[in-house]
Structures are given as structure tokens and as C-alpha cells.
């Protein structure tokens, strides 16, 4: 059966695109490789979640049969080198940390602001903050953000639909640290019900947030907002556990549909007028490469975020157990930093699981076992960390390819990641580590731990950039409407189109772009 | 079927109680970490590594004329410490350092992760560090 539109992937971008198309009267087939999970299906397992995926991660992709390569080495979905994002209906939004940041206006103009470092593919976005602002607002209201006033570094905007989460004891201490340093701060905006909204409950401030499901269903993702809206039109069919093997092309570059395979291995052809890709920056590029669609630019400029995190101990216990745990941020260092390109937002963090504390924050002076280790673990309630994502300086050689020899359980060549970020990213990260340390020190923390960053590929949950938006098909993949150059009915509605990835968690930008792309498709139909 | 024999389980229990010893709060085995490890060893396909490593610990303790589990805590610590520092003699079927690191890492996982995994019975380690679960 032919539908008006096929959307591949039901995460932050795909869920929104499907909703806009269905509400505009189009018949939509929304395809998702992962399962349709309720929050209660995602286990509260401290060793198998999206923060610590030691032996699994509680969603998809399944650990067996879905490998990826990084610099030639094979990884399973729960291993760091895989650069995973959750696969499930709602994608990463089922388990994410929901930070609801708009990118800074200068994030769209990195090349004009800083110049282009040699060997980097740093570029301006072909659209501006102002172009995206109305769509940011739609994401804030239609998915649902809780927060307060923007920091003075950001343009004014409409109030959020919900008040911000209360400040934790840690955040109150960090606020005093900011005051001492003369830094401004704000409540961290979250895609979370801080009060009941949309027929769902408010956050209960539990301790298991990022990486886990949300028992009261207060975490606002696409699975509990726009996807139900799409289904309510009666025009959208959601097919979970359905993997798209390849795009079907006709002569002249038109994409006429997709070939899917289900859990039983049964292949089906689906035809559509329009196809929207939203599988995330790695899987969208892989699908295009495996389908021989798009030019040489497909898969290039893979980027995510380096993180500069400092951790220390307060003289007295400071843990108050109030989730989600992230409630204060500073935008002092997103731009205007002497001697480095860009910067990033800094926040306190989600409540750290004790086993994460043990694995990520043990100083080299503490042994990995014995009484001294146990004594150190007892400092947990005095522990505090701050940090945040660094605006990466991309390289066109950091890329997604497809393997010539390794295939997944369906026989489809797997994604093969290679390259690293540009050295300027490391330089900015070093600068931001010092700022994180400074913030903790001013807040009264001692024994502060930071780590020396090295050059590597970063993608993971913030993966972006592999189908860059631009005017010239030689160095971009999609045009200003996020339509693939040379294919007038093929669109991309995920982070693949990001030219650069901002000094912020990128999900609200993915959502805003998906609203804009969806509107564009409907408007030109 | 258990992935380890009785002797190996006895050695495992003694060794993990040096990784997380008892103080005002229980030891690793008191909180179920041996059971946690037996499940994990089977599910992660680690039987061979653990068998070889635990036999290796007994190989070292034989030099002192005793089974590892019969040694004093101090003597057990010094053997584990030699493994950590790669200072044990040849004759092990697995790298002593690699085995020790795995044992220490996974014991800590059992002790501080959720009780649903089999270790951290009664969430005692969470009470110890001050991590509360509400809601």
C-alpha cells in the first residue's frame, strides 16, 4: 500500500515530523527499529542503563547482531566505541536527560565569529537563530519544557509552559559559587513535567533520571507527546521492531519508498510520495550510504560533544536526593573565551549512582579495592560535580562509512566510524575544565579531580553532522529545507543536518528543526 | 550448573571479602556479592577466567602451605596485592593482573549496584554511602 509519507525513526526528530505530516492530513508510516516500550518496561538496573551500560542498556539495539566498527575494531551496542543512542519508540527521548537548550545565536555563526582553523570543516549554518526561534518555541510548548528566565547571554523568549524544577542543595551551593565569581546562572530548562500537564503526572523527583525510564511518565519525549498525537489522527501507522534495510530509487533520483525487515526476517516494500530520514546521525548516514543516495558529503563531519567535568568534595554532606539533580547552569563561557574557539554551557549533574561514582570518579590516589576504597566510597554524600558539553570543532575526516565485510543480523553492512574531532576541540575542552574546577573551588569543594582530554572521535547520544545543511552539494547533503540535494522528495529530520552541534545538549535543536522541516514539507506539498 | 567448583567458590568468597572487607558495614559476601558473581560469570562467559584466576590464588597460597581461604586476611591481601602489581611467579593460566582487576571491578559492581542484581542485599551499601531511593 502506498502512503503519502514514510518517516524512518521515531526519536526526537522523526516523532515530530510524523505528527506534523499526519495532522496536516497526510497518511504516514512511522518506522522504528526498536521496541514500543512503556517507561515501566525500562529496568532500574544500575549496570544496564544508558548512563552505565556495563552489561546492557535496557532498550535497543539488541546486544547481539548489531555491531559497529570504530577505527576497524568491532563494538557491541553497550560498549563506548559503539557511540550508541537508545533505539525504541521515542528513541533517545525515552531515557534522555531532557535538557532543553536553544543553541546560542553565535553557535550558528562559528566560522564568521572565529575563522576556520586549518584542517577543520568549521562552517556557519545557512540558517540563523532567528530562523529557528519560532520552532524552538513550538518544541518548548508542544513537547513541554519546565524552566525559568533565560540567562542574560541569550535572547529574550516566551515564558516556558511550566515552572523550573526546585534547586537542590548542591545547586544552591553552586549558586553562591557563581555569585562569588561574578558569574550569572539560571535554572536548567528540562523537557519535564514539573507540574501535571498533557494528562500526565508531575516529576516525583526520584533519583533515577537520565538513562532510565520515568515511572510517573513525567519525562516528555516524542513517545508520550507527538507520536500519540500522530496516531490520534487515524492517519499514522506506527510499526515498531521494523528495520529499514534500504531506500528504493527510481530513475532520475526520486526515492519511491523503502524496504523493511521485521523480527521474523520478512522483507516488505513500502511506497511513498515523500521519505523522511530520522534514524540519528550514524544510522541515517549508514542507510543513505547503503542505498547509494547522496553525494560524497554523506557521513562526513561526524561530531558529538566532549565533556569537561570537574568533581570534588564538600566539607559536609551535600547530597539531598532530590532528582533529577540538574538544576543550575551557567552560560558565561559559551563564547568570548580568550584564545579558544567557542566553549560550552556548564551545569551540575543528574544524581550520580553510587556505582557510577565508583567507576568514574576514583582518584589515582585511592586503590581500587580494600578498606581504603570503602572509606573513599563513604565520601559519596559530600561529592559534587559540574561540567557540560563543549562545542566541537568538526573535521570532514571524522565520518560514518559502511563496512565492506561486517554485516548485521539482517545482512546489511554496518556503520564504520573513523577519524577524530579537530585538535581545537581539545584546546577548548582544556579551557573549560579549568572553568569547571574554578566553579567548584568557589563553591567550597576540595580535592578537585579533572582529567586531561585527548584527541578522539565523539558521537554517542549527541551524535550529529553527517548530512550537513548547506547550499553547495559538494560539501553539504541537505538544502535549507533539509531536503537531500538532488532528491526532491527525500528529507532528513534528525541531528545529521547540524552544521555544528552547539555548546549545549542538542535535543531541542533537533526538535525545532523537525518542526521546521515538517512545516516546510507540508507547505510545499 | 555452577560455573565454579566448591573449592573455587570458597576462594572467591575469601578474595571478595578482601576487595570489600567488613567494617561497621558488611563485607562483599555478606551482601551477596558471591551470588552476584556466580550469575555474572555464567551470563558473561567468564568461567574459564575465574577458574584459572581462583586456582592461581591457591597456587600462590600453597607456597605458604595453606589454601587461600585459610590464610589470614593480611596474607590474603599480600597475595592479591602481588597480583595487582604483576609480581606473582609464572604458572597461572590467566594474567594475574587481568584477573585481579576483573575480580575487583566486578565485586565493586555487585556491592554498589542495585540489589536486583543479587549483590547489595537490603541496599545496605547505599545506606552506607548515603544514597537514598525515594519514589
Amino acid at each position: 500500500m502506498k502512503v503519502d509519507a514514510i518517516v524512518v525513526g521515531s526519536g526526537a526528530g522523526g516523532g515530530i515530523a510524523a505528527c506534523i505530516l499526519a495532522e496536516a492530513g497526510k497518511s504516514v508510516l512511522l518506522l522504528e527499529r526498536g521496541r514500543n516500550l512503556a517507561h515501566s518496561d525500562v529496568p532500574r538496573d544500575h549496570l544496564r542503563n544508558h548512563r552505565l551500560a556495563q552489561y546492557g542498556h535496557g532498550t535497543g539495539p539488541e546486544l547481539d547482531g548489531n555491531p559497529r566498527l570504530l577505527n576497524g575494531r568491532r563494538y557491541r551496542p553497550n560498549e563506548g566505541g559503539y557511540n550508541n543512542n537508545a533505539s525504541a519508540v521515542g528513541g533517545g527521548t525515552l531515557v534522555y536527560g531532557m535538557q532543553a537548550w536553544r543553541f546560542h545565536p553565535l553557535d550558528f555563526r562559528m566560522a564568521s565569529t572565529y575563522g576556520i582553523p586549518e584542517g577543520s570543516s568549521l562552517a556557519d549554518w545557512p540558517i540563523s537563530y532567528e530562523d529557528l526561534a519560532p520552532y524552538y518555541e513550538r518544541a518548548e510548548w508542544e513537547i513541554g519544557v519546565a524552566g525559568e528566565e533565560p540567562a542574560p547571554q541569550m535572547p529574550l523568549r516566551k515564558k516556558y509552559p511550566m515552572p523550573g524544577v526546585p534547586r537542590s542543595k548542591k545547586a544552591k551551593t553552586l549558586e553562591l559559587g557563581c555569585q562569588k565569581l561574578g558569574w550569572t546562572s539560571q535554572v536548567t530548562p528540562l523537557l519535564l513535567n514539573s507540574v501535571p500537564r498533557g494528562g500526565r503526572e508531575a516529576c516525583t523527583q526520584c533519583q533515577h533520571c537520565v538513562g532510565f525510564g520515568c515511572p510517573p511518565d513525567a519525562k516528555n519525549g516524542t513517545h508520550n507527546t507527538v507520536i500519540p498525537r500522530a496516531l490520534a489522527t487515524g492517519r499514522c501507522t506506527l510499526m515498531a521492531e521494523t528495520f529499514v534495510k534500504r531506500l528504493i530509487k527510481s530513475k532520475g533520483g526520486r526515492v519511491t519508498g523503502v524496504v523493511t525487515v521485521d523480527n521474523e526476517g520478512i522483507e516488505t516494500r513500502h511506497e511513498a510520495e515523500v521519505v523522511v530520514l530520522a534514524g540519528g546521525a550514524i544510522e541515517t548516514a549508514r542507510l543513505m550510504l547503503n542505498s547509494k543516495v547522496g553525494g560524497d558529503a554523506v557521513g562526513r563531519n561526524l561530531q558529538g560533544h566532549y565533556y569537561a567535568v570537574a568533581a570534588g568534595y564538600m566539607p559536609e554532606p551535600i547530597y539531598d536526593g532530590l532528582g533529577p539533580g540538574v538544576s543550575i547552569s551557567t552560560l558565561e563561557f559559551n563564547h568570548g573565551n580568550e584564545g579558544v574557539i567557542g566553549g560550552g554551557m556548564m551545569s551540575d549533574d543528574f544524581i550520580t549512582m553510587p556505582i557510577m561514582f565508583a567507576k568514574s570518579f576514583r582518584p589515582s590516589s585511592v586503590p581500587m579495592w580494600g578498606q581504603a576504597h570503602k572509606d573513599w566510597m563513604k565520601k559519596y554524600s559530600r561529592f559534587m560535580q559540574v561540567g557540560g558539553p563543549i562545542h566541537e570543532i568538526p573535521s570532514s575526516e571524522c565520518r560514518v562509512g559502511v563496512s565492506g565485510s561486517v554485516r548485521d543480523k539482517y545482512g546489511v553492512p554496518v556503520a564504520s566510524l573513523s577519524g577524530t574531532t579537530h585538535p581545537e576541540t581539545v584546546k577548548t575542552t582544556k579551557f573549560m575544565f579549568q572553568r569547571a574546577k574554578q566553579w567548584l573551588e568557589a563553591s567550597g569543594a576540595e580535592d578537585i579531580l579533572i582529567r586531561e582530554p585527548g584527541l578522539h572521535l565523539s558521537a554517542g547520544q549527541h551524535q550529529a553532522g553527517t548530512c550537513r545543511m548547506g547550499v553547495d552539494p559538494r560539501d553539504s547533503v541537505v538544502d535549507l529545507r533539509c531536503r537531500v540535494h538532488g532528491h526532491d522528495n527525500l528529507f532528513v529530520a534528525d541531528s545529521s543536518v547540524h552544521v555544528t552541534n552547539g555548546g549545549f545538549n542538542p535535543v531541542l535543536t533537533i526538535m525545532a528543526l523537525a518542526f521546521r522541516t515538517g512545516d516546510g514539507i507540508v507547505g510545499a506539498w | 550448573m555452577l560455573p565454579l567448583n566448591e573449592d573455587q567458590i570458597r576462594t572467591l568468597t575469601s578474595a571478595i571479602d578482601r576487595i570489600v572487607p567488613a567494617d561497621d558495614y558488611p563485607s562483599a559476601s555478606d551482601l551477596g556479592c558471591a551470588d552476584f558473581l556466580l550469575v555474572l560469570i555464567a551470563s558473561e562467559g567468564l568461567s574459564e577466567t575465574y577458574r584459572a584466576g581462583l586456582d592461581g590464588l591457591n597456587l600462590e597460597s600453597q607456597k605458604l602451605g595453606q589454601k587461600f581461604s585459610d590464610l589470614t586476611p593480611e596474607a590474603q591481601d599480600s597475595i592479591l596485592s602481588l597480583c595487582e602489581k604483576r609480581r606473582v611467579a609464572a604458572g597461572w593460566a590467566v594474567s594475574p593482573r587481568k584477573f585481579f582487576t576483573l575480580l575487583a571491578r566486578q565485586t565493586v559492581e555487585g556491592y554498589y549496584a542495585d540489589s536486583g542484581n543479587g549483590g547489595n542485599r537490603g541496599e545496605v551499601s547505599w545506606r552506607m554511602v548515603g544514597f537514598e531511593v525515594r519514589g
Side-chain angles (χ1 to χ4, degrees), chain B residues 32-70:
Chain B
C33 290
D35 298 336
F36 162 79
L37 286 170
L38 289 172
V39 171
L40 194 68
I41 289 166
S43 67
E44 295 295 312
L46 295 169
S47 310
E48 232 172 278
T49 307
Y50 267 86
R51 283 182 202 139
L54 295 167
D55 291 348
L57 291 180
N58 270 318
L59 198 71
E60 296 305 314
S61 69
Q62 272 165 23
K63 292 173 192 166
L64 306 172
Q66 279 179 300
K67 285 185 173 178
F68 185 85
S69 52
D70 294 334

Side-chain angles (χ1 to χ4, degrees), chain B residues 1 5 9 11 17 24 26-27 31 36 45-46 48 50 53 64-66 68 83 85 98 100 103 123-125:
Chain B
M1 201 188 80
N5 64 34
I9 292 174
T11 309
D17 283 351
D24 295 345
S27 72
L31 287 198
F36 162 79
L46 295 169
E48 232 172 278
Y50 267 86
L64 306 172
Q66 279 179 300
F68 185 85
C83 295
K85 293 172 183 149
K98 197 179 143 197
F100 172 80
L103 178 74
E123 300 179 351
V124 171
S125 79

Side-chain angles (χ1 to χ4, degrees), chain A residues 110-127:
Chain A
M110 290 293 282
S112 316
T113 307
Y114 298 99
I116 303 171
E118 202 184 324
S120 86
S121 53
L122 193 64
D124 289 351
W125 287 55
I127 61 170

Side-chain angles (χ1 to χ4, degrees), chain B residues 9-28:
Chain B
I9 292 174
R10 207 170 300 124
T11 309
L12 179 78
T13 305
S14 310
I16 65 174
D17 283 351
R18 302 316 305 152
I19 304 294
V20 187
D23 53 7
D24 295 345
Y25 290 89
S27 72

Side-chain angles (χ1 to χ4, degrees), chain A residues 74-365:
Chain A
R74 192 180 171 121
Y75 289 93
R76 280 151 59 93
N78 65 316
E79 296 177 311
Y82 192 87
N83 285 285
N84 191 27
N85 201 354
S87 92
V89 171
T93 72
L94 183 70
V95 292
Y96 67 170
M98 349 152 265
Q99 290 194 41
W101 296 104
R102 296 181 176 203
F103 283 0
H104 189 280
L106 290 180
D107 288 348
F108 297 86
R109 298 181 44 77
M110 290 293 282
S112 316
T113 307
Y114 298 99
I116 303 171
E118 202 184 324
S120 86
S121 53
L122 193 64
D124 289 351
W125 287 55
I127 61 170
S128 67
Y129 173 87
E130 288 71 26
D131 291 327
L132 215 46
Y135 299 101
Y136 274 131
E137 188 176 301
R138 278 186 72 180
E140 286 156 0
W141 280 80
E142 294 185 34
I143 311 297
V145 174
E148 301 293 335
E149 295 304 306
Q153 292 83 0
M154 291 296 288
L156 295 176
R157 54 158 167 72
K158 185 177 167 182
K159 207 166 134 336
Y160 292 136
M162 291 174 282
V165 292
R167 284 214 158 143
S168 67
K169 204 165 157 185
K170 288 183 188 180
K172 285 175 186 159
T173 305
L174 289 165
E175 193 175 12
L176 294 175
C178 274
Q179 283 167 10
K180 203 183 274 181
L181 292 162
W183 298 358
T184 53
S185 67
Q186 67 166 103
V187 174
T188 310
L190 299 170
L191 288 139
L192 174 74
N193 276 4
S194 60
V195 292
R197 187 170 188 262
R200 286 179 291 108
E201 292 302 307
C203 170
T204 57
Q205 296 205 277
C206 85
Q207 296 72 41
H208 296 74
C209 193
V210 65
F212 294 95
C214 176
D217 203 12
K219 200 182 272 199
N220 297 323
T222 54
H223 60 293
N224 56 10
T225 58
V226 280
I227 293 173
R229 265 170 60 185
L231 298 176
T233 65
R235 288 183 290 273
C236 177
T237 304
L238 168 65
M239 286 176 72
E241 300 178 61
T242 305
F243 178 74
V244 177
K245 289 184 81 169
R246 64 174 189 279
L247 306 174
I248 307 167
K249 290 178 294 183
S250 71
K251 281 176 192 146
R254 242 184 123 70
V255 171
T256 56
V258 304
V259 175
T260 60
V261 58
D262 65 16
N263 282 342
E264 272 77 55
I266 296 166
E267 286 197 12
T268 311
R269 288 171 73 92
H270 306 271
E271 295 188 342
E273 289 293 325
V274 162
V275 175
V276 181
L277 305 181
I282 295 174
E283 292 298 315
T284 288
R286 174 190 176 204
L287 176 58
M288 288 176 73
L289 291 166
N290 278 329
S291 308
K292 301 197 167 35
V293 164
D296 173 67
V298 174
R300 291 186 181 274
N301 305 309
L302 176 64
Q303 58 201 291
H305 281 125
Y306 270 50
Y307 266 75
V309 175
Y313 304 90
M314 296 302 289
E316 297 295 325
I318 190 155
Y319 174 94
D320 64 7
L322 285 183
V326 54
S327 58
I328 183 169
S329 305
T330 180
L331 274 53
E332 285 287 328
F333 302 102
N334 282 76
H335 291 282
N337 300 315
E338 185 77 35
V340 298
I341 299 176
M345 173 278 298
M346 289 194 292
S347 291
D348 53 348
D349 201 21
F350 294 89
I351 289 179
T352 308
M353 302 296 124
I355 186 59
M356 273 300 281
F357 174 69
K359 282 180 180 288
S360 302
F361 296 101
R362 181 172 60 85
S364 53
S365 58

Side-chain angles (χ1 to χ4, degrees), chain B residues 82-134:
Chain B
L82 290 174
C83 295
E84 186 183 15
K85 293 172 183 149
R86 298 190 181 89
R87 288 200 190 129
V88 291
W92 286 51
V94 61
S95 148
R97 159 98 184 162
K98 197 179 143 197
F99 168 68
F100 172 80
T101 308
L102 181 72
L103 178 74
R105 169 167 76 74
Q106 294 188 323
T107 304
V108 166
E109 284 170 4
Y111 197 84
Y112 294 105
D114 58 296
S115 58
N117 269 297
N120 192 16
R121 271 183 206 145
E123 300 179 351
V124 171
S125 79
W126 288 356
R127 276 210 297 284
M128 176 182 96
V129 303
F131 171 76
E132 311 156 72
V133 174
R134 305 184 297 262

